Amino acid sequence: MEKIKGLIDAPFTPFYPNKEVNYEIIPEYASLLARNGLKGVFINGSSGEGYMLDEDERMKLAEAWVKAVPKDFKVIVHVGSTCVRSSKRMAEHAQAIGAWGIGAMAPPFPKVNRVEELVKYCEEIACGAPNLPFYFYHIPAFNGAFLSMYDFLKAVDGRIPNFAGIKYTFESLYEYNRCRRYADGKFDMLHGQDETILPCLAMGGAQGGIGGTTNYNGRCLTGIQTAWEAGDLEKARELQNYAQDVIDVICHFRGNIVGGKRIMKLIGYDLGPNRTPFQNMTDEEEARMKQELEAIDFFNHCNK
Amino acid sequence: MEKIKGLIDAPFTPFYPNKEVNYEIIPEYASLLARNGLKGVFINGSSGEGYMLDEDERMKLAEAWVKAVPKDFKVIVHVGSTCVRSSKRMAEHAQAIGAWGIGAMAPPFPKVNRVEELVKYCEEIACGAPNLPFYFYHIPAFNGAFLSMYDFLKAVDGRIPNFAGIKYTFESLYEYNRCRRYADGKFDMLHGQDETILPCLAMGGAQGGIGGTTNYNGRCLTGIQTAWEAGDLEKARELQNYAQDVIDVICHFRGNIVGGKRIMKLIGYDLGPNRTPFQNMTDEEEARMKQELEAIDFFNHCNK
Amino acid sequence: MEKIKGLIDAPFTPFYPNKEVNYEIIPEYASLLARNGLKGVFINGSSGEGYMLDEDERMKLAEAWVKAVPKDFKVIVHVGSTCVRSSKRMAEHAQAIGAWGIGAMAPPFPKVNRVEELVKYCEEIACGAPNLPFYFYHIPAFNGAFLSMYDFLKAVDGRIPNFAGIKYTFESLYEYNRCRRYADGKFDMLHGQDETILPCLAMGGAQGGIGGTTNYNGRCLTGIQTAWEAGDLEKARELQNYAQDVIDVICHFRGNIVGGKRIMKLIGYDLGPNRTPFQNMTDEEEARMKQELEAIDFFNHCNK
Amino acid sequence: MEKIKGLIDAPFTPFYPNKEVNYEIIPEYASLLARNGLKGVFINGSSGEGYMLDEDERMKLAEAWVKAVPKDFKVIVHVGSTCVRSSKRMAEHAQAIGAWGIGAMAPPFPKVNRVEELVKYCEEIACGAPNLPFYFYHIPAFNGAFLSMYDFLKAVDGRIPNFAGIKYTFESLYEYNRCRRYADGKFDMLHGQDETILPCLAMGGAQGGIGGTTNYNGRCLTGIQTAWEAGDLEKARELQNYAQDVIDVICHFRGNIVGGKRIMKLIGYDLGPNRTPFQNMTDEEEARMKQELEAIDFFNHCNK
């Protein structure tokens, strides 16, 4: 199965001020991402507030993205939900409209405590799109599924034909590397934390990854891999350090979904508010964030 | 606002073997519950696998229950979901079809960490059914919303006009009692753990409650309050102890949603399997559970 | 084995301003407790900052308490530590000086994850004082030992000859009751949360208990059981509610060890500061706490 | 202040079969470590079961190590305990006997929740050995002190004169790097997870580190840095992968303290059992572990 090379972006879902989905802005958004070196999008995931959307909105967003992206720009549709039948329908739909791949995280409810439960969940969804690669999205901090991914790979191997790999959004580079080495690298281990691309590359991983701060800091993040491959370690470190500086800022403003989405507005792409229960930033918070970003000269670094 | 008196049942959602919803069995199910002393149902909640159903199924189930129940038997519809717009639609629907009340738990994703987020979430949903009492369903073990319910009441008070109270499914009888005493008992604190009805009654609470093991052990559980009110402490203790014995058994079989649902089959009401990712009981497990129930003479105690 | 009847107090360890142990004040402190209806003390536990003392100080404190208490006033010495050899020595010492009993909580390091580890730990300590009853002190919020106490009783039964029971400081009245009913009430289940004495009594438990707020609210707390036994439910509820009001206050000031210890000063028994890493209350905090206590008329209720 | 270069080992504490400390074997043990490229030892820490020893044993162990090590081989004494006065005495002793440095982890009881509490704790200990560098040992998985180390550095800076840096045993390479970059690299950030030395080196860190599996896999682990500095990325990866393979094995046998200590016996250095509450490996488990190690050809790799 093809392995992803380079960085995929996890876009925010654009809303109008009344919190209805803004499909209009997507072509422009897609252009920005392609221009900055991203290789595709992983839509309706955590950055995209996928769980806050209904099934119909999620399908329409998938259609909008598939239609908007340039040639060879991958659209991976996150179809995970707490209702596996709904997820399967979204998987079928993704395949029908020509998406490149699908993905699903573990459901946050009920909390998944056994590898077998997770395999079953993925199996029922993945079979809805048998021609597309299926990625499991591991983000246990969000859904409590602190399971061994190595044991999960063993359980999945040979059982889900279109299982492609894992979007690994967790701190353990040790487990990441064990999974990467599983069966001589059989599965595609997409690195999922923008703050550690360089160390992961050094270990042999991070050939492909999915980013969240790539929405507004894409050239910096894609540049890490370029510099590493060119043997320019100093440049790679400088870029990785700068990526961390930007992440520091959003951590002061409730993270990427809230703070990061607001950065988009500051660079000219107003993607609107977050849906409830996210607590939107106040104007005062926005002003403070802008100052913090100016202090690291962000607006001359980021790429619009 | 009217306070609930007596026990409300949280029914399981009946499925056919293929996991499609079995609406047919609901009238018979409702009769069983009314016969055993229950005062109503809280549908599409955790016992009812509400999060595993899609919006359409949840609405149809609400209609089926409203149609099936005897006069004065309350139907409270759990409308919580991760998509607040969908929840609001279900609230509107509940009011339109003549449900008695609505409820919502905190969303499991994103994990709610601030009281203000939770108030906002409840507010947007509750306003969909302004004529119905709205209950917040506090079950932090399932969704991670370990917030102070006392602070929540203070924040909600005067802000959500149809806020009625809390279904309190948590171990802290201390916090429960503080909430019960808030503003001289302004809000309805429904007790939500079948294992501690008697101690809660002693403290002045548990006038109303919502049960999960009431599906198959209703007379025992409703009997606790009757005995207590009749001043028969020994009887109340005996019944509470027995209720705990039954709960011990289901704890050996993945709890009420999995184990409890299977007990229904053993007493003649086959409600089918659980949906993924729940791991259904094997026949061997069912046989073992039957033995454990026989050892406490359950089949002569429960009421069919 | 004798079962404890009534409430035992968990005293604070008195320090001089320089944080050296103040042994002088103990006779006066013991008189206060006896006067307020307490039946004994559980020393060097969590309220007593036992883990912040060295082995020598703990032994001297045990000697001071044994010497100070009136006849038939029980002294139970908490001897738990992370060094099981040190704990055993303290157990031997407790027996040698004529203490009534000993106790130990699970060590916080390493976190105990298996019942067998806990049994072994208790066994090695208990055998140091074979003539004294040994109580396991269950307070998982403090040491992470979230193990099934029912399974622990099964494992301990018949293996530790002087095992007497559990000081149960956890919210689950369900588990408490299961343990209480184990082997027809073989073990002594000391109730360990002042906020739920009444509900526990109703269920058949709390015949004996160990309190932390009994240091400054002893008559109220011992009164709950008296009222209950006299059949005066209203009085019992009133006292339990009041006990919760007092606990509300200390919860605003870092709990009993910090806030509660400072109340002692306010009622005329200055027990000094807490040891590091506890953060002592500022004068401003003390003033605010005093106000909150006055608002519930505490200084006319408590008993000096 | 001098920064540590290379790897320091965290030795196990040798016991006789009766669990008394075996001081005799220490010279031989020290030789092994020096021979394998280690630059020093961090004694009485988690691998060394420091919390399971009493103060006297800990001091004698410090003396034995200081006496046993070759010239320029650093002895850092972990003096952390729940009793800060005892810790301070051990700090004074370490300085008096000529140790190179001291360290302390956050106490596991009470759980430290505020940066200020932790600073105070370190301050009271560090001032016992004013002439020695003091390292904070960050291992929150063991003591629950999940505090921001960046905020801790800010709070400590300028307040504890002999504060040298952090032994960082946590997964977040992002936080590690932020700390490393704090005030232009003012503090010494010792890397503390053997499984991620290479990725950390790539990011600019891990110039110094403290290892636990270095006891029996020292040449492999010290080789990672050598290969990296020689520009031999392939070799560095191969060694890091192998280090992870060895760690995989101990993870099957209750980790380094239990499983790793038993490996020492298998390579000819019998360091005896673990103290309670650790559950010692059975002979059957030892045999299985031996097989797993043979399967990765460990006994020809490790260095005796």
Side-chain angles (χ1 to χ4, degrees), chain B:
Chain B
M1 219 177 269
E2 177 190 350
K3 281 191 182 164
I4 290 172
K5 169 94 183 141
L7 281 179
I8 303 288
D9 176 78
F12 302 110
T13 289
F15 293 127
Y16 290 113
N18 69 356
K19 300 194 186 175
E20 293 291 341
V21 178
N22 172 0
Y23 302 97
E24 288 176 303
I25 203 175
I26 288 174
E28 190 189 350
Y29 192 177
S31 297
L32 168 77
L33 297 171
R35 209 157 59 228
N36 284 337
L38 281 308
K39 303 303 183 196
V41 281
F42 182 86
I43 68 164
N44 296 342
S46 47
S47 295
E49 299 174 66
Y51 261 85
M52 277 94 251
L53 304 167
D54 65 28
E55 191 179 319
D56 189 53
E57 291 170 325
R58 289 170 71 164
M59 288 187 181
K60 281 193 186 136
L61 272 159
E63 291 166 23
W65 278 101
V66 166
K67 205 170 138 192
V69 298
K71 199 171 166 304
D72 293 332
F73 193 89
K74 295 173 169 64
V75 177
I76 307 175
V77 184
H78 178 262
V79 300
S81 77
T82 57
C83 176
V84 78
R85 308 203 142 203
S86 171
S87 291
K88 193 182 173 187
R89 283 195 298 262
M90 291 189 276
E92 289 163 351
H93 175 263
Q95 180 169 309
I97 63 168
W100 183 86
I102 58 167
M105 69 175 87
F109 187 90
K111 191 148 71 169
V112 171
N113 296 314
R114 298 172 187 86
V115 165
E116 174 55 27
E117 291 170 348
L118 187 56
V119 175
K120 197 74 173 35
Y121 176 79
C122 292
E123 195 173 27
E124 292 194 16
I125 296 172
C127 73
N131 301 333
L132 303 190
F134 173 90
Y135 285 90
F136 175 63
Y137 176 15
H138 186 51
I139 185 164
F142 278 20
N143 52 39
F146 288 94
L147 298 169
S148 159
M149 284 298 100
Y150 192 82
D151 292 346
F152 174 66
L153 287 185
K154 281 199 290 187
V156 148
D157 194 1
R159 183 157 157 195
I160 301 181
N162 56 328
F163 184 84
I166 298 175
K167 171 185 177 183
Y168 191 85
T169 302
F170 189 51
E171 278 72 22
S172 177
L173 288 185
Y174 164 42
E175 185 188 49
Y176 172 91
N177 202 42
R178 289 185 74 203
C179 290
R180 186 183 67 80
R181 293 170 62 210
Y182 175 83
D184 287 317
K186 179 168 185 175
F187 295 116
D188 196 11
M189 290 299 298
L190 300 175
H191 183 258
Q193 296 204 311
D194 297 344
E195 50 273 44
T196 51
I197 293 173
L198 172 58
C200 194
L201 281 164
M203 210 171 52
Q207 299 303 306
I210 299 185
T213 66
T214 42
N215 283 293
Y216 41 84
N217 200 27
R219 280 195 215 162
C220 167
L221 287 155
T222 58
I224 295 170
Q225 190 167 8
T226 311
W228 172 262
E229 287 175 355
D232 189 348
L233 182 62
E234 280 323 299
K235 180 76 181 168
R237 281 177 176 170
E238 186 190 315
L239 290 168
Q240 182 66 78
N241 286 346
Y242 191 71
Q244 293 187 357
D245 290 342
V246 173
I247 291 166
D248 285 355
V249 175
I250 60 169
C251 286
H252 301 158
F253 299 96
R254 299 193 282 289
N256 194 44
I257 305 176
V258 173
K261 193 173 193 178
R262 192 64 76 102
I263 293 183
M264 296 306 288
K265 180 188 163 200
L266 295 177
I267 63 169
Y269 297 80
D270 190 342
L271 304 181
N274 296 105
R275 283 198 173 170
T276 301
F278 288 110
Q279 214 175 342
N280 281 281
M281 282 170 66
T282 62
D283 290 344
E284 186 272 329
E285 286 178 312
E286 182 184 311
R288 267 197 295 126
M289 184 170 75
K290 190 155 175 273
Q291 276 187 322
E292 290 193 27
L293 290 167
E294 283 165 349
I296 57 170
D297 200 26
F298 174 74
F299 299 103
N300 291 319
H301 274 76
C302 72
N303 320 100
K304 303 167 194 178

Side-chain angles (χ1 to χ4, degrees), chain C residues 26 31 34 67 79 87 90 143 148 161 241 252 254 268 299:
Chain C
I26 288 174
S31 298
K67 206 171 137 193
V79 300
S87 291
M90 291 188 276
N143 52 38
S148 159
N241 286 346
H252 301 158
R254 300 193 282 288
F299 298 103

Side-chain angles (χ1 to χ4, degrees), chain C residues 18 20 51 82 85 124 276, chain D residues 20 51 82 85 124 276:
Chain C
N18 69 356
E20 293 291 340
Y51 262 85
T82 57
R85 308 200 143 205
E124 291 193 19
T276 302
Chain D
E20 294 290 343
Y51 261 84
T82 58
R85 307 201 144 205
E124 291 194 17
T276 301

Side-chain angles (χ1 to χ4, degrees), chain A residues 26-48:
Chain A
I26 289 174
E28 190 188 351
Y29 194 176
S31 296
L32 169 77
L33 297 171
R35 210 157 59 229
N36 284 338
L38 282 309
K39 304 302 183 196
V41 281
F42 183 86
I43 68 163
N44 297 342
S46 47
S47 295

Side-chain angles (χ1 to χ4, degrees), chain C residues 101-112:
Chain C
I102 58 167
M105 68 175 88
F109 188 88
K111 191 148 70 167
V112 171

Side-chain angles (χ1 to χ4, degrees), chain D residues 134-139 148-150 152-153 163-169 176 179 187-192 208 210:
Chain D
F134 173 90
Y135 284 90
F136 174 63
Y137 176 15
H138 186 50
I139 185 164
S148 159
M149 284 298 101
Y150 192 83
F152 174 67
L153 286 185
F163 184 84
I166 298 176
K167 171 184 177 184
Y168 191 86
T169 304
Y176 171 91
C179 292
F187 295 117
D188 196 10
M189 291 298 297
L190 299 175
H191 184 257
I210 299 185

